[in-house]
Amino acid sequence: QEHTAEWLQKGRVLAAVTGYGKQVQGCRMTRLGSLRYHATASPAFVARHFAEGVDAASLSQAPALTFNQKDRLQEQWIHQVCGRSVNYPTHWLPSTHAFVEASLAGTGWGMNPAVLVKDHLQSGRLIDLVPGTVLDVPLYWQVNRMVDDQLSGLTQAVIAAARAALVR
């Protein structure tokens, strides 16, 4: 979501959902809404790593789940909670659904999309590390103007899906 603007600029793709909030040259841009992330972990993981609360010291010891080296969601959330950066151990896991499964299994804490963990949070299988502290990531649809007309159906479908799943 954050690195697709480069692909648009270089012509690798004709359209993309991106976190890049500036209109890419030659593209039309539509704000879709924000993808809400929760910092979640299993109750057993929270009891083991955050019994005294979530702070810089506990986060520096508790393994996080990180998608890849471009993933900065954990760092953004930690900065929001602690007011500073914190070095923390991590497990690399390049799969959104595997993040949820690893969180449920107690492997680590992760930044999970609300749409994927809503039921787990409601049932108590996952816990918000800091209740009420979410990370909202604005998303945009950018489409190359040269093919905008040909991709209008896709654009309408993306906008409709965003309305159903994203925070406005």
Side-chain angles (χ1 to χ4, degrees), residues 39 41 45-46 49-60 62 77-78 81-82 109 127-131 133:
F45 186 89
V46 170
H49 294 280
F50 300 113
E52 302 298 318
V54 177
D55 57 19
S58 59
L59 287 165
S60 72
W77 185 85
I78 288 171
V81 169
C82 298
W109 69 273
I127 297 174
D128 264 313
L129 295 187
V130 179
T133 303

Side-chain angles (χ1 to χ4, degrees), residues 95-107:
S95 165
T96 305
H97 289 283
F99 255 56
V100 176
E101 294 303 316
S103 295
L104 287 165
T107 304

